[in-house]
Amino acid sequence: MSVDLSEFDPDASCTADDGWFGLPHTLADARVAIVSVPWEVTTSYRRGTARAPERVLEASHQVDLFDLELGDAWKAGFAGVPVHPDIAPLDAAGCADALPVIEAGGAGEDPVLQASLERVNAAGARLNALVGQQTAEVFDRGAIPALLGGDHSVPFGAIREAARRFPGLGVLHLDAHLDLRVAYQGFTWSHASIMGNVLAHGGLTGPLVTFGVRDFGRAEHRWAQEDPRIHAFPWAQLGAELVRGTSWDQLARPMIDALPEHVWMSFDIDGLDPALCPNTGTPVPGGLSWDHLMHVLRLLRESGRTVVGFDLVEVGDSEWDAIIGARLLYQMGCTAILSQR
């Protein structure tokens, strides 16, 4: 089923009641289904990412649909999946339990904190099941799932479902962090453990291609060196090569070359220069410019690989962060659409 766009003006302004990017699509006819997950239970530094979905939706009304490179990809449509009703109360209860543990640096031997920790881990497992269920429903409709967090723990259930459906799936991971910490602060499903969980429990058999990372621990670095599935492109090396005069095109092509036929994009916005995401949860100096990231997406489109789904996480609770988040969501969605044509 396709929506009638004969009367739709892509250059018209939006109203507050319009859908994603001002488009008239519904879930019945949209190619990209946005699954909003307002969740930040294990956020270990600055909070606010739970409000990102509503902030990014509002900012999406200021995104021009016309794009010199993306053409009319928008016509395939974007629409939002209703937020699961269990997520808000689960997040509220989880945050109440997690904050004392985070402030203490872990539960230690404290029985009260240990009980809180167990409830948080159970809540994270429940979230994974909900997200996995919503992702499966999107796939079953023949649409492309787009997870919008929230913190970086939220896409686990989605990536696990994608890996189940696409054997050999690879993950293209933009991040300032490796996210390979095992149960960071005791939280099994921590935002800092997402890629470790994907590798250990997510059924991923294809490569994890991670780029832009510039803040990680010794154990994470060892894991990245020893696991043949991980292809890491740290910013310390990329940035040094840029200073020496190596072109970004030369540096980015090996990232795409390491990917298999089917790809999931998992983009933590803090992989970008903090000037573009100043209110993200854990900002780190350095990182990609907007043009750097747009070229990565350009190379991915040109490669002929198929993007089966994606997530965008850690967008901060501010107007500027939402503006960048909305534009990045649009670019990622159109890239996925074009890759499947």
Side-chain angles (χ1 to χ4, degrees), residues 53-99:
E54 60 185 278
R55 285 286 215 162
V56 173
L57 170 59
E58 181 181 3
S60 79
H61 293 164
Q62 300 302 317
V63 175
D64 271 318
L65 299 175
F66 180 76
D67 187 282
L68 290 174
E69 292 188 80
L70 302 177
D72 64 354
W74 61 268
K75 290 183 177 180
F78 292 71
V81 175
V83 177
H84 196 287
D86 289 355
I87 290 180
L90 200 62
D91 178 70
C95 287
D97 276 325
L99 284 172

Short mmCIF file of all heavy atoms in Angstrom, two decimals, residues 53-99:
data_model
loop_
_atom_site.label_atom_id
_atom_site.label_comp_id
_atom_site.label_asym_id
_atom_site.label_seq_id
_atom_site.Cartn_x
_atom_site.Cartn_y
_atom_site.Cartn_z
N PRO A 53 13.34 11.35 21.89
CA PRO A 53 12.36 11.08 20.83
C PRO A 53 11.39 12.23 20.58
O PRO A 53 11.14 12.60 19.42
CB PRO A 53 11.66 9.82 21.34
CG PRO A 53 12.70 9.11 22.14
CD PRO A 53 13.44 10.22 22.84
N GLU A 54 10.85 12.81 21.65
CA GLU A 54 9.90 13.91 21.44
C GLU A 54 10.61 15.16 20.92
O GLU A 54 10.06 15.89 20.08
CB GLU A 54 9.16 14.22 22.74
CG GLU A 54 10.02 14.63 23.90
CD GLU A 54 9.23 14.83 25.19
OE1 GLU A 54 8.64 15.90 25.37
OE2 GLU A 54 9.22 13.88 26.02
N ARG A 55 11.86 15.39 21.39
CA ARG A 55 12.62 16.54 20.92
C ARG A 55 12.96 16.41 19.43
O ARG A 55 12.86 17.36 18.66
CB ARG A 55 13.91 16.66 21.74
CG ARG A 55 13.73 17.19 23.13
CD ARG A 55 13.44 18.67 23.12
NE ARG A 55 14.03 19.34 24.25
CZ ARG A 55 14.23 20.64 24.33
NH1 ARG A 55 13.87 21.42 23.33
NH2 ARG A 55 14.76 21.19 25.39
N VAL A 56 13.39 15.21 19.03
CA VAL A 56 13.80 14.98 17.65
C VAL A 56 12.59 15.04 16.72
O VAL A 56 12.68 15.56 15.60
CB VAL A 56 14.54 13.64 17.52
CG1 VAL A 56 14.83 13.30 16.06
CG2 VAL A 56 15.86 13.67 18.31
N LEU A 57 11.46 14.53 17.16
CA LEU A 57 10.23 14.62 16.36
C LEU A 57 9.90 16.08 16.08
O LEU A 57 9.60 16.47 14.94
CB LEU A 57 9.07 13.94 17.07
CG LEU A 57 7.68 14.16 16.47
CD1 LEU A 57 7.63 13.67 15.02
CD2 LEU A 57 6.61 13.48 17.32
N GLU A 58 9.95 16.91 17.10
CA GLU A 58 9.66 18.34 16.92
C GLU A 58 10.65 18.97 15.95
O GLU A 58 10.26 19.72 15.04
CB GLU A 58 9.73 19.04 18.28
CG GLU A 58 9.43 20.53 18.23
CD GLU A 58 9.54 21.20 19.58
OE1 GLU A 58 9.90 20.52 20.57
OE2 GLU A 58 9.26 22.41 19.65
N ALA A 59 11.95 18.66 16.10
CA ALA A 59 12.97 19.24 15.23
C ALA A 59 12.87 18.71 13.80
O ALA A 59 13.29 19.39 12.85
CB ALA A 59 14.36 18.96 15.79
N SER A 60 12.30 17.52 13.63
CA SER A 60 12.19 16.94 12.29
C SER A 60 11.30 17.79 11.38
O SER A 60 11.42 17.72 10.15
CB SER A 60 11.64 15.51 12.37
OG SER A 60 10.23 15.48 12.56
N HIS A 61 10.45 18.62 11.95
CA HIS A 61 9.56 19.46 11.15
C HIS A 61 10.32 20.60 10.47
O HIS A 61 9.74 21.30 9.62
CB HIS A 61 8.45 20.03 12.03
CG HIS A 61 7.51 18.98 12.54
ND1 HIS A 61 6.65 19.19 13.59
CD2 HIS A 61 7.31 17.70 12.15
CE1 HIS A 61 5.95 18.08 13.82
NE2 HIS A 61 6.33 17.18 12.95
N GLN A 62 11.59 20.79 10.84
CA GLN A 62 12.40 21.84 10.22
C GLN A 62 13.37 21.28 9.18
O GLN A 62 14.18 22.03 8.63
CB GLN A 62 13.18 22.59 11.30
CG GLN A 62 12.30 23.27 12.33
CD GLN A 62 11.33 24.26 11.72
OE1 GLN A 62 11.71 25.03 10.83
NE2 GLN A 62 10.09 24.25 12.17
N VAL A 63 13.30 19.97 8.91
CA VAL A 63 14.21 19.35 7.95
C VAL A 63 13.62 19.46 6.55
O VAL A 63 12.49 19.00 6.31
CB VAL A 63 14.46 17.87 8.30
CG1 VAL A 63 15.32 17.20 7.22
CG2 VAL A 63 15.12 17.75 9.67
N ASP A 64 14.36 20.06 5.62
CA ASP A 64 13.92 20.11 4.23
C ASP A 64 14.03 18.73 3.60
O ASP A 64 15.08 18.08 3.70
CB ASP A 64 14.76 21.10 3.43
CG ASP A 64 14.18 22.51 3.47
OD1 ASP A 64 12.95 22.64 3.34
OD2 ASP A 64 14.96 23.47 3.62
N LEU A 65 12.98 18.29 2.94
CA LEU A 65 12.97 16.97 2.33
C LEU A 65 13.87 16.90 1.10
O LEU A 65 14.44 15.85 0.79
CB LEU A 65 11.54 16.57 1.96
CG LEU A 65 10.57 16.48 3.14
CD1 LEU A 65 9.15 16.22 2.63
CD2 LEU A 65 10.99 15.41 4.13
N PHE A 66 13.98 18.01 0.38
CA PHE A 66 14.81 18.04 -0.82
C PHE A 66 16.28 17.91 -0.43
O PHE A 66 16.76 18.57 0.48
CB PHE A 66 14.60 19.34 -1.58
CG PHE A 66 15.43 19.44 -2.83
CD1 PHE A 66 15.09 18.73 -3.97
CD2 PHE A 66 16.56 20.25 -2.85
CE1 PHE A 66 15.87 18.82 -5.12
CE2 PHE A 66 17.33 20.35 -3.99
CZ PHE A 66 16.99 19.63 -5.13
N ASP A 67 16.99 17.00 -1.11
CA ASP A 67 18.40 16.77 -0.83
C ASP A 67 19.09 16.39 -2.13
O ASP A 67 18.61 15.52 -2.86
CB ASP A 67 18.57 15.65 0.20
CG ASP A 67 20.01 15.48 0.65
OD1 ASP A 67 20.80 14.88 -0.11
OD2 ASP A 67 20.35 15.93 1.76
N LEU A 68 20.21 17.02 -2.44
CA LEU A 68 20.87 16.81 -3.71
C LEU A 68 21.33 15.37 -3.91
O LEU A 68 21.37 14.88 -5.04
CB LEU A 68 22.08 17.75 -3.83
CG LEU A 68 21.76 19.24 -4.01
CD1 LEU A 68 23.05 20.06 -3.96
CD2 LEU A 68 21.02 19.49 -5.31
N GLU A 69 21.66 14.69 -2.83
CA GLU A 69 22.16 13.32 -2.95
C GLU A 69 21.09 12.26 -2.70
O GLU A 69 21.15 11.17 -3.28
CB GLU A 69 23.32 13.09 -1.98
CG GLU A 69 24.56 13.88 -2.33
CD GLU A 69 25.75 13.49 -1.47
OE1 GLU A 69 26.39 12.47 -1.75
OE2 GLU A 69 26.02 14.22 -0.49
N LEU A 70 20.14 12.57 -1.86
CA LEU A 70 19.14 11.57 -1.48
C LEU A 70 17.94 11.53 -2.42
O LEU A 70 17.15 10.58 -2.37
CB LEU A 70 18.67 11.82 -0.04
CG LEU A 70 19.77 11.81 1.02
CD1 LEU A 70 19.20 12.15 2.38
CD2 LEU A 70 20.49 10.47 1.06
N GLY A 71 17.80 12.57 -3.23
CA GLY A 71 16.71 12.57 -4.21
C GLY A 71 15.35 12.47 -3.55
O GLY A 71 15.04 13.16 -2.57
N ASP A 72 14.50 11.60 -4.10
CA ASP A 72 13.14 11.47 -3.59
C ASP A 72 12.96 10.29 -2.65
O ASP A 72 11.87 9.74 -2.51
CB ASP A 72 12.16 11.35 -4.77
CG ASP A 72 12.40 10.07 -5.58
OD1 ASP A 72 13.38 9.35 -5.30
OD2 ASP A 72 11.60 9.79 -6.50
N ALA A 73 14.04 9.90 -1.96
CA ALA A 73 13.96 8.77 -1.04
C ALA A 73 12.86 8.97 0.01
O ALA A 73 12.22 8.02 0.46
CB ALA A 73 15.30 8.53 -0.35
N TRP A 74 12.61 10.23 0.37
CA TRP A 74 11.61 10.54 1.39
C TRP A 74 10.22 10.03 1.01
O TRP A 74 9.38 9.78 1.89
CB TRP A 74 11.54 12.05 1.64
CG TRP A 74 11.16 12.86 0.45
CD1 TRP A 74 11.99 13.43 -0.47
CD2 TRP A 74 9.82 13.19 0.02
NE1 TRP A 74 11.27 14.09 -1.44
CE2 TRP A 74 9.93 13.96 -1.17
CE3 TRP A 74 8.55 12.92 0.53
CZ2 TRP A 74 8.83 14.45 -1.85
CZ3 TRP A 74 7.44 13.40 -0.16
CH2 TRP A 74 7.58 14.16 -1.33
N LYS A 75 9.97 9.87 -0.28
CA LYS A 75 8.65 9.44 -0.72
C LYS A 75 8.30 8.04 -0.20
O LYS A 75 7.12 7.69 -0.13
CB LYS A 75 8.56 9.47 -2.25
CG LYS A 75 8.55 10.87 -2.83
CD LYS A 75 8.38 10.85 -4.34
CE LYS A 75 8.30 12.26 -4.92
NZ LYS A 75 8.14 12.24 -6.40
N ALA A 76 9.32 7.26 0.13
CA ALA A 76 9.06 5.93 0.69
C ALA A 76 8.44 6.04 2.08
O ALA A 76 7.74 5.12 2.52
CB ALA A 76 10.35 5.12 0.75
N GLY A 77 8.69 7.14 2.77
CA GLY A 77 7.96 7.43 4.00
C GLY A 77 8.62 7.07 5.31
O GLY A 77 9.33 6.07 5.42
N PHE A 78 8.36 7.91 6.31
CA PHE A 78 8.75 7.71 7.69
C PHE A 78 7.48 7.80 8.53
O PHE A 78 6.64 8.67 8.30
CB PHE A 78 9.71 8.79 8.19
CG PHE A 78 11.08 8.79 7.57
CD1 PHE A 78 11.27 9.19 6.25
CD2 PHE A 78 12.19 8.42 8.33
CE1 PHE A 78 12.54 9.22 5.68
CE2 PHE A 78 13.46 8.45 7.77
CZ PHE A 78 13.63 8.85 6.44
N ALA A 79 7.33 6.92 9.51
CA ALA A 79 6.21 7.02 10.45
C ALA A 79 6.65 6.45 11.79
O ALA A 79 7.56 5.62 11.86
CB ALA A 79 4.99 6.26 9.92
N GLY A 80 5.99 6.91 12.85
CA GLY A 80 6.36 6.48 14.19
C GLY A 80 5.52 5.34 14.71
O GLY A 80 4.30 5.32 14.54
N VAL A 81 6.18 4.39 15.36
CA VAL A 81 5.50 3.32 16.09
C VAL A 81 5.11 3.89 17.46
O VAL A 81 5.94 4.53 18.12
CB VAL A 81 6.43 2.10 16.26
CG1 VAL A 81 5.77 1.03 17.12
CG2 VAL A 81 6.82 1.54 14.90
N PRO A 82 3.88 3.71 17.91
CA PRO A 82 3.52 4.20 19.25
C PRO A 82 4.47 3.66 20.31
O PRO A 82 4.83 2.48 20.29
CB PRO A 82 2.10 3.67 19.44
CG PRO A 82 1.56 3.50 18.05
CD PRO A 82 2.73 3.07 17.21
N VAL A 83 4.89 4.54 21.21
CA VAL A 83 5.77 4.10 22.30
C VAL A 83 5.05 3.04 23.13
O VAL A 83 3.89 3.23 23.51
CB VAL A 83 6.17 5.29 23.19
CG1 VAL A 83 7.04 4.82 24.36
CG2 VAL A 83 6.92 6.34 22.37
N HIS A 84 5.73 1.95 23.39
CA HIS A 84 5.10 0.89 24.17
C HIS A 84 4.70 1.43 25.54
O HIS A 84 5.51 2.08 26.22
CB HIS A 84 6.05 -0.30 24.32
CG HIS A 84 5.37 -1.55 24.76
ND1 HIS A 84 4.91 -1.73 26.05
CD2 HIS A 84 5.03 -2.68 24.08
CE1 HIS A 84 4.34 -2.91 26.15
NE2 HIS A 84 4.40 -3.52 24.98
N PRO A 85 3.48 1.18 26.00
CA PRO A 85 3.02 1.78 27.26
C PRO A 85 3.79 1.32 28.49
O PRO A 85 3.73 1.98 29.53
CB PRO A 85 1.55 1.34 27.33
CG PRO A 85 1.45 0.14 26.44
CD PRO A 85 2.43 0.38 25.34
N ASP A 86 4.50 0.22 28.39
CA ASP A 86 5.25 -0.27 29.56
C ASP A 86 6.57 0.46 29.76
O ASP A 86 7.16 0.39 30.85
CB ASP A 86 5.55 -1.77 29.42
CG ASP A 86 4.31 -2.63 29.57
OD1 ASP A 86 3.24 -2.08 29.89
OD2 ASP A 86 4.43 -3.86 29.38
N ILE A 87 7.05 1.19 28.73
CA ILE A 87 8.41 1.72 28.81
C ILE A 87 8.53 2.87 29.81
O ILE A 87 9.47 2.90 30.61
CB ILE A 87 8.90 2.15 27.41
CG1 ILE A 87 9.12 0.91 26.54
CG2 ILE A 87 10.19 2.97 27.52
CD1 ILE A 87 9.60 1.21 25.13
N ALA A 88 7.60 3.82 29.81
CA ALA A 88 7.72 4.98 30.71
C ALA A 88 7.72 4.55 32.18
O ALA A 88 8.61 4.98 32.93
CB ALA A 88 6.60 5.98 30.44
N PRO A 89 6.77 3.73 32.65
CA PRO A 89 6.84 3.32 34.06
C PRO A 89 8.06 2.45 34.36
O PRO A 89 8.62 2.53 35.47
CB PRO A 89 5.53 2.53 34.27
CG PRO A 89 5.06 2.17 32.91
CD PRO A 89 5.53 3.25 31.99
N LEU A 90 8.48 1.65 33.39
CA LEU A 90 9.67 0.82 33.59
C LEU A 90 10.91 1.69 33.72
O LEU A 90 11.78 1.43 34.57
CB LEU A 90 9.81 -0.14 32.41
CG LEU A 90 10.67 -1.40 32.58
CD1 LEU A 90 10.10 -2.31 33.66
CD2 LEU A 90 10.74 -2.15 31.25
N ASP A 91 10.98 2.75 32.92
CA ASP A 91 12.11 3.67 32.98
C ASP A 91 12.12 4.43 34.31
O ASP A 91 13.17 4.58 34.94
CB ASP A 91 12.05 4.66 31.82
CG ASP A 91 13.16 5.68 31.84
OD1 ASP A 91 14.31 5.31 31.60
OD2 ASP A 91 12.88 6.87 32.11
N ALA A 92 10.96 4.90 34.73
CA ALA A 92 10.87 5.66 35.99
C ALA A 92 11.31 4.81 37.18
O ALA A 92 12.11 5.25 38.02
CB ALA A 92 9.46 6.17 36.19
N ALA A 93 10.80 3.59 37.24
CA ALA A 93 11.17 2.70 38.35
C ALA A 93 12.63 2.31 38.26
O ALA A 93 13.35 2.25 39.27
CB ALA A 93 10.29 1.45 38.33
N GLY A 94 13.11 2.06 37.03
CA GLY A 94 14.50 1.68 36.84
C GLY A 94 15.45 2.79 37.23
O GLY A 94 16.49 2.53 37.87
N CYS A 95 15.13 4.03 36.87
CA CYS A 95 15.98 5.16 37.24
C CYS A 95 16.04 5.34 38.75
O CYS A 95 17.11 5.61 39.33
CB CYS A 95 15.47 6.44 36.59
SG CYS A 95 15.76 6.55 34.80
N ALA A 96 14.90 5.18 39.42
CA ALA A 96 14.87 5.31 40.88
C ALA A 96 15.75 4.26 41.54
O ALA A 96 16.41 4.54 42.56
CB ALA A 96 13.43 5.18 41.37
N ASP A 97 15.79 3.07 40.96
CA ASP A 97 16.65 2.02 41.51
C ASP A 97 18.11 2.22 41.14
O ASP A 97 19.01 1.94 41.93
CB ASP A 97 16.19 0.65 40.98
CG ASP A 97 15.05 0.06 41.79
OD1 ASP A 97 15.03 0.27 43.02
OD2 ASP A 97 14.19 -0.61 41.20
N ALA A 98 18.36 2.70 39.92
CA ALA A 98 19.73 2.77 39.42
C ALA A 98 20.54 3.92 40.00
O ALA A 98 21.75 3.78 40.25
CB ALA A 98 19.72 2.88 37.89
N LEU A 99 19.90 5.07 40.22
CA LEU A 99 20.66 6.25 40.64
C LEU A 99 21.47 6.04 41.92
O LEU A 99 22.64 6.44 41.97
CB LEU A 99 19.71 7.45 40.77
CG LEU A 99 19.30 8.07 39.43
CD1 LEU A 99 18.20 9.12 39.64
CD2 LEU A 99 20.49 8.69 38.72
#
